[in-house]
Amino acid sequence: MIARVFGRGAAQSKEDYFTASQSQLIWARFKRKRSSMVAAAILLIFVLCGVFADFLSPYDPTSAGRNPDYTNGAPQLPQFCDDRGCSLVPFIKGVERYRGADTNFRWVTRETDERRYVELFAEGWTYHWFRMDVTLPLVGRVFVPGIALDTHLFGLEGEGFIHIAGTDAQGKDIFSRTLHAIGVSLAVGTIGVVISFVLALVIGGTSGYFGGTYDTVVQMVTDAVRTVPTIPLFMALAAFVPDEWSAETRFFFISMIIGLINWPTLARRVRTHILAERNADYVLAAELCGARPGHVIRRHLLPSFASYIIVDLVISFPYMVLSETALSFIGLGLKDPVNSLGVMLQNTTKVDVLLNYQWYFIPVPVFVCLVLAFVFVGDGLRDAADPYSERK
C-alpha cells in the first residue's frame, strides 16, 4: 500500500511514509485519483480565467452598443479557409446591417466577403489590475488606483469586432461577460467562505472548549441563525439596499451577507470535534504547562482535525457559488452592470432566447463545470484526508 501511495520502491516508500508530513500524505493520496486531478486542473483554468479576465477579454463586458451592427449576433468562430482560399492567419467574415423585400423589410445582420484577420496581443480598451473603488457602510470609500493596461490576448487588425460567443440584446460581448462572471462568482464565494470559515472556527471552537452556560447560549444563537429563511431575508435586504450604492458596494454587501448566514453548520461540526478532544491527554498537558485557552484551541485542538476542516472549506465553495447564482438569478443578488453567472442566467428565461438566441446559454455549461470541478476536488480531498481510506 505504501509503495502504491508514493510510487517508489518498497524500502524507500516505507521510509518516506513514516517521515512524511500530513500535507504530503494527503497530496500523495490525492494525486492518485485521476478524476480529482482532472477536476483540479479544470478548476485551476477557471480561476486563471477569472483572475486574468480583463486580459483574455477582447472588449469591456459592461460596454453596451459597442458594435451596433451586431446586436443579438451569433458566435463568430475564426476560420482559416473560405471560398476565396485558405490563410495561415485566422480570420472572420465582416458583417453588415441589411433589410429588403427578402427580409420583409426587417433589419438583419448578414456576412460579407470581407476578411478581418485576428491578431494576438492586440491593443484595446484600458483596464486596471488590483484596482478597488468601493464605499463600505462603516469604513467609507476605499480607493486603490491599480495598474492601467490596454493589451489583450486577441483582437482584430484595424477596425472591427470579433465576438466568438456572440452578443446579447444590448450588444455586449458574451465571451467577455462570461469570463468576468467566473471571476465575480468565485470572488463572492471566496469572501463568503472566508467570513463563514472564520466565524465557524471562533464560535464553534470556543463553544466546544468552554461548554457550560456559554455553550448553551451560543447554540441557541446558532439555531436561531440556522432557522432564518434565506429568500425572505434577501427580499428584505433588497428593499433595504439604497439605489445610490455602486455595483462594487452591492457586491461586497451580498458577499458578507452570504458569509454571515452560512457559518452555523461548520461551527456545529467544529464544536462536536472539540467536545470529543478537549479531555485528551495532550490538551491536559498543554493546560498544565500554562497555555491559554486560545493557544490550546489554535495550536492543539483545531490542528487535530485540520484535514477535515480543509475538506469542508473546499466543499463549501460550490454552495457559496450556488447561493450567489440562485439569488442573482431571481433578482435578489447582484445586478447589472456587475457580471456574475447568476446575472447572465437571468437572460435565459425568455422564450425568444430559447428559440432564436441559443448562445445565451453558453454560461450554463460553464457554471455546471465549475460546480462539478469543486465537487470532484472536494470528494478527492475527503478521501485523501481520511487515514483509513487505503484500508480494505
Side-chain angles (χ1 to χ4, degrees):
M1 180 189 72
I2 298 176
R4 291 201 310 269
V5 171
F6 285 91
R8 299 184 182 182
Q12 182 64 36
S13 297
K14 187 174 182 180
E15 180 181 355
D16 293 341
Y17 181 82
F18 288 107
T19 58
S21 63
Q22 186 179 21
S23 59
Q24 291 174 331
L25 292 175
I26 293 176
W27 169 245
R29 286 192 289 261
F30 179 79
K31 66 182 181 181
R32 292 179 57 234
K33 296 185 176 295
R34 205 169 283 177
S35 60
S36 299
M37 290 296 293
V38 172
I42 294 175
L43 184 59
L44 179 61
I45 293 175
F46 278 126
V47 172
L48 293 177
C49 288
V51 173
F52 299 101
D54 292 327
F55 169 72
L56 298 174
S57 303
Y59 308 112
D60 185 354
T62 62
S63 178
R66 178 179 289 273
N67 189 1
D69 292 337
Y70 210 67
T71 56
N72 280 330
Q76 298 174 299
L77 298 179
Q79 53 188 340
F80 291 91
C81 297
D82 61 0
D83 297 337
R84 297 165 53 188
C86 297
S87 170
L88 295 177
V89 180
F91 61 89
I92 63 172
K93 291 297 189 66
V95 296
E96 65 177 2
R97 296 285 285 175
Y98 168 80
R99 69 176 178 178
D102 55 338
T103 63
N104 295 325
F105 297 98
R106 293 185 298 108
W107 284 106
V108 297
T109 301
R110 65 180 184 180
E111 290 186 348
T112 63
D113 293 333
E114 179 187 4
R115 286 184 176 183
R116 294 179 175 176
Y117 292 94
V118 180
E119 66 174 353
L120 296 177
F121 305 107
E123 294 184 0
W125 61 284
T126 303
Y127 56 94
H128 297 80
W129 275 354
F130 312 111
R131 183 179 183 179
M132 178 182 296
D133 187 5
V134 61
T135 302
L136 300 178
L138 300 178
V139 180
R141 185 186 181 191
V142 179
F143 177 74
V144 179
I147 304 173
L149 299 170
D150 61 356
T151 303
H152 301 271
L153 179 62
F154 65 94
L156 289 184
E157 293 181 354
E159 298 181 355
F161 301 90
I162 176 173
H163 306 286
I164 63 176
T167 60
D168 58 13
Q170 298 177 343
K172 297 179 181 179
D173 185 60
I174 293 180
F175 177 75
S176 301
R177 295 193 66 193
T178 303
L179 291 178
H180 285 79
I182 293 173
V184 170
S185 296
L186 288 176
V188 171
T190 301
I191 296 175
V193 165
V194 170
I195 293 175
S196 63
F197 182 70
V198 173
L199 289 176
L201 293 184
V202 173
I203 297 175
T206 56
S207 177
Y209 182 80
F210 292 107
T213 306
Y214 176 78
D215 181 36
T216 303
V217 173
V218 169
Q219 294 312 304
M220 291 174 59
V221 175
T222 302
D223 292 335
V225 175
R226 292 182 65 185
T227 56
V228 173
T230 306
I231 300 300
L233 173 64
F234 273 89
M235 291 177 65
L237 291 175
F240 166 76
V241 172
D243 294 334
E244 60 269 14
W245 275 15
S246 64
E248 292 81 5
T249 304
R250 184 185 293 270
F251 164 80
F252 279 99
F253 180 74
I254 295 297
S255 304
M256 289 188 293
I257 295 301
I258 292 177
L260 290 174
I261 63 176
N262 283 281
W263 60 266
T265 302
L266 179 58
R268 278 291 186 88
R269 295 170 182 171
V270 172
R271 170 183 175 270
T272 302
H273 281 283
I274 290 185
L275 281 174
E277 294 289 329
R278 67 178 182 177
N279 295 322
D281 293 339
Y282 66 91
V283 176
L284 179 60
E287 292 175 344
L288 292 176
C289 291
R292 296 179 178 275
H295 179 84
V296 174
I297 296 174
R298 185 179 68 257
R299 296 296 300 273
H300 299 285
L301 287 173
L302 291 180
S304 65
F305 55 98
S307 59
Y308 175 84
I309 295 176
I310 294 173
V311 173
D312 196 282
L313 180 66
V314 175
I315 294 179
S316 298
F317 266 95
Y319 293 104
M320 291 292 180
V321 176
L322 283 169
S323 298
E324 180 277 322
T325 303
L327 292 172
S328 299
F329 178 74
I330 62 178
L332 300 178
L334 301 175
K335 298 180 181 179
D336 282 327
V338 176
N339 291 295
S340 73
L341 294 175
V343 172
M344 297 192 65
L345 292 180
Q346 287 180 346
N347 298 325
T348 63
T349 59
K350 302 175 182 179
V351 178
D352 187 39
V353 170
L354 179 62
L355 296 177
N356 302 311
Y357 312 122
Q358 291 81 12
W359 52 89
Y360 275 52
F361 288 85
I362 290 178
V364 176
V366 173
F367 170 70
V368 173
C369 291
L370 178 62
V371 173
L372 287 178
F374 272 116
V375 171
F376 276 99
V377 170
D379 184 69
L381 281 176
R382 181 190 60 194
D383 294 338
D386 183 7
Y388 303 103
S389 61
E390 296 296 333
R391 296 187 181 184
K392 298 183 181 180

